Amino acid sequence: GQQVVCVRTEDINISGSLYRNKLKYANFRRKHMNTNPRQGPFHYRSPAKILWRTIRGMVPHKTARGAAALDKLKTFEGIPHPYDRKKRMVVPSCLKVLRLRPERRFCRLGDLSKEVGWKHGALIQRLESQRKVKSEAFYKKKTASLRAKNEAKKAVKLSADEVKVLETAGYA
């Protein structure tokens, strides 16, 4: 399959109110190995790990095929270095407007994580605000260069034989 990288996991929406999701997570946190809880089910606090474990529950991770699929999945809070420069996409079928009726309650995964003991929300928020400033500057520069390129294309006057040469080369 494909390599999948999920970024900004702290902004993922979960159906149900924050209170209800806190109760469900508290119920999950109660489950541990009686004789040695350090071996028992681990209860991740960070949004990236919570998402990763949720997806693991949807994949046959005990088979070689499922394990290979999980190895191709990466999850991150914020958008760390190599991925902040790459083109991103939104999965349209996962949008809140298509999945939840407007009157239904929902909460952010970052808020749930904060309630259950994740301590890095403020740090991620600070790093994301810095990244957004850099990203906006890059986008303005990119659009300006594209505009200049299009204007230059319009300004060029070609003779008939030059157009013919370009067409034979496949540039017309």
Side-chain angles (χ1 to χ4, degrees):
Q2 302 289 319
Q3 290 277 350
V4 177
V5 179
C6 187
V7 292
R8 290 177 60 205
T9 54
E10 72 278 1
D11 285 331
I12 288 175
N13 289 328
I14 314 174
S15 60
S17 67
L18 179 61
Y19 182 75
R20 183 172 188 270
N21 281 306
K22 262 171 63 175
L23 290 178
K24 285 174 78 173
Y25 204 83
N27 206 19
F28 166 61
R29 276 176 64 185
R30 259 197 10 247
K31 295 169 173 56
H32 61 82
M33 186 173 178
N34 209 11
T35 53
N36 189 356
R38 283 178 300 179
Q39 291 180 3
F42 300 115
H43 313 100
Y44 297 116
R45 302 320 202 253
S46 82
K49 278 293 199 180
I50 290 174
L51 175 71
W52 180 86
R53 185 149 199 243
T54 304
I55 294 170
R56 190 190 76 173
M58 303 173 190
V59 173
H61 65 96
K62 292 184 180 181
T63 65
R65 180 173 138 263
L70 261 189
D71 286 340
K72 291 181 177 177
L73 171 72
K74 289 181 182 170
T75 55
F76 296 102
E77 293 97 17
I79 305 181
H81 163 62
Y83 306 107
D84 59 351
R85 303 264 184 234
K86 292 191 167 64
K87 185 138 179 74
R88 296 179 286 279
M89 68 174 283
V90 172
V91 181
S93 61
C94 299
L95 291 171
K96 176 182 159 273
V97 73
L98 297 176
R99 288 277 140 219
L100 279 181
R101 288 170 54 185
E103 72 273 10
R104 297 296 186 186
R105 293 180 184 274
F106 69 97
C107 72
R108 287 177 60 249
L109 184 52
D111 294 340
L112 177 65
S113 290
K114 183 173 179 278
E115 294 289 333
V116 297
W118 181 56
K119 296 177 176 68
H120 305 290
L123 170 68
I124 295 295
Q125 206 167 19
R126 182 171 57 82
L127 292 172
E128 276 297 284
S129 63
Q130 290 172 1
R131 182 195 60 80
K132 284 176 183 172
V133 168
K134 287 180 188 169
S135 181
E136 188 178 359
F138 167 77
Y139 181 72
K140 284 181 179 172
K141 186 178 170 185
K142 179 181 149 186
T143 51
S145 67
L146 274 173
R147 199 176 304 115
K149 184 179 172 184
N150 288 336
E151 287 170 7
K153 276 185 181 177
K154 287 177 187 171
V156 169
K157 299 286 185 268
L158 295 173
S159 65
D161 56 330
E162 288 172 334
V163 170
K164 193 183 285 183
V165 169
L166 285 172
E167 283 177 354
T168 56
Y171 294 105

